[in-house]
Amino acid sequence: MLDLQTLPADTLSDFRRDGAVAIRNAFSPGWLERLRQGIDKATAAPHPNVARHTKDPDAPAYLEGYWLWSEIPEFTDFVHNSPCAPLAAQLLGAPSVNLVMDNWFLREAGSTSRPPFHQDLAYFDFEGTMCVLWLPLEPVTRDNGIAFVKGSHLWDKLFMRVRFADGHASMEPQTVNGKTYHIPPEITPETHDLLQWDLALGDCIFFDMRTLHGGLASVTPTETVRRFTLRMTAPDGMIRYRGDWAKDERAQFEAAGYREGDRIAGDFFPQLWPR
């Protein structure tokens, strides 16, 4: 698939209206294999940016890794050379796109863990026009994929960070710098209009950083499944303090010299498009 793939106008309008869209055949098999190789390397040895969200150490694991793009060559190649950034630029209507964060998830066969409903924006000290690529490395059905609350990016509401560990404990509502963070509502197909898709290999989802999303299904995978995600920003992306819950992530970019109010740009947050 060419980097300069032009998205149809209805895809762009759906993204603005709904907060999430599926894009078919966006990534070639070679890119998927590169990401699988990268995740294998990331899980081969302990790393402070790789977390296990399954409480029982003997149970099949639910793993997550982040900010490894500069350490894993396969991830470096993907963020700089795959179609991810030109697609994001079109969806955001942005003249340029910078990387915010790479992120991946691995759910071992037999794992009963699933992601809670949450809003990415409130997890980190970032603010601006941002989107997320969600790219499965195995085929996905509606029963084992992610559900998105249609239009929730337009609610003008912030939600507290929800722990991905088993039990999905959420903090109490808080007000930080004049902004109130609420407990995410209970999400069911009966109470909310949800977006869900079957995805073949190479298909992906892009969603707004403000869109509520999570796992509904209790389907237990019979084989290991992996998802790779990227958060990307338009030029208005800035560092904005959210709360103490983001202190571990904040410490990493502060160590690189970034402070409150700085643009999401530079070596830690490289420009991906134009190349």
Side-chain angles (χ1 to χ4, degrees):
M1 185 62 63
L2 294 175
D3 284 1
L4 296 179
Q5 174 192 5
T6 300
L7 296 175
D10 58 349
T11 298
L12 305 182
S13 60
D14 288 351
F15 179 78
R16 291 191 295 268
R17 182 194 65 216
D18 298 340
V21 290
I23 299 177
R24 305 297 180 182
N25 194 30
F27 295 91
S28 69
W31 283 122
L32 303 185
E33 183 57 30
R34 291 285 280 165
L35 292 177
R36 294 186 194 105
Q37 293 169 358
I39 291 175
D40 286 345
K41 288 183 179 180
T43 57
H47 192 285
N49 285 4
V50 177
R52 178 187 174 99
H53 294 307
T54 312
K55 291 181 179 179
D56 182 353
D58 297 321
Y62 181 40
L63 305 175
E64 175 188 8
Y66 63 96
W67 272 332
L68 294 172
W69 69 268
S70 62
E71 300 183 35
I72 306 291
E74 289 82 359
F75 295 168
T76 306
D77 187 18
F78 183 86
V79 300
H80 282 292
N81 298 312
S82 82
C84 61
L87 290 173
Q90 293 178 71
L91 292 167
L92 297 176
S96 63
V97 167
N98 282 61
L99 176 66
V100 178
M101 174 185 279
D102 58 301
N103 205 190
W104 55 263
F105 300 88
L106 184 151
R107 191 178 175 198
E108 291 183 340
S111 170
T112 58
S113 298
R114 61 180 175 86
F117 272 88
H118 63 285
Q119 177 191 60
D120 278 15
L121 184 64
Y123 276 63
F124 313 104
D125 290 341
F126 305 132
E127 185 173 85
T129 306
M130 292 179 279
C131 68
V132 185
L133 162 69
W134 191 83
L135 176 60
L137 305 185
E138 290 79 26
V140 167
T141 68
R142 291 166 59 93
D143 290 335
N144 66 4
I146 295 292
F148 299 83
V149 182
K150 186 177 181 178
S152 56
H153 64 307
L154 301 178
W155 291 356
D156 193 25
K157 199 169 187 180
L158 294 168
F159 295 97
M160 284 301 302
R161 179 171 177 163
V162 184
R163 302 183 189 280
F164 269 49
D166 294 347
H168 299 171
S170 178
M171 297 176 171
E172 293 300 313
Q174 292 187 34
T175 299
V176 180
N177 287 342
K179 296 183 178 181
T180 299
Y181 296 78
H182 305 269
I183 298 298
E186 189 71 23
I187 305 294
T188 70
E190 292 72 36
T191 59
H192 293 83
D193 191 2
L194 301 179
L195 299 169
Q196 296 173 275
W197 293 278
D198 295 328
L199 300 175
L201 287 175
D203 296 346
C204 68
I205 295 170
F206 274 86
F207 62 94
D208 190 291
M209 279 272 282
R210 300 166 293 175
T211 304
L212 278 168
H213 59 287
L216 278 175
S218 57
V219 173
T220 300
T222 57
E223 61 179 18
T224 295
V225 294
R226 293 154 292 188
R227 317 322 192 183
F228 189 83
T229 75
L230 285 182
R231 298 177 181 90
M232 291 168 280
T233 184
D236 64 345
M238 302 183 74
I239 293 172
R240 289 295 186 216
Y241 179 76
R242 294 287 175 192
D244 286 343
W245 60 81
K247 62 184 180 182
D248 291 339
E249 293 85 2
R250 180 165 62 251
Q252 297 196 38
F253 58 73
E254 284 185 340
Y258 291 84
R259 295 294 182 268
E260 171 78 4
D262 286 351
R263 281 194 62 227
I264 299 176
D267 292 343
F268 200 89
F269 306 107
Q271 180 172 302
L272 304 182
W273 187 261
R275 290 174 179 150

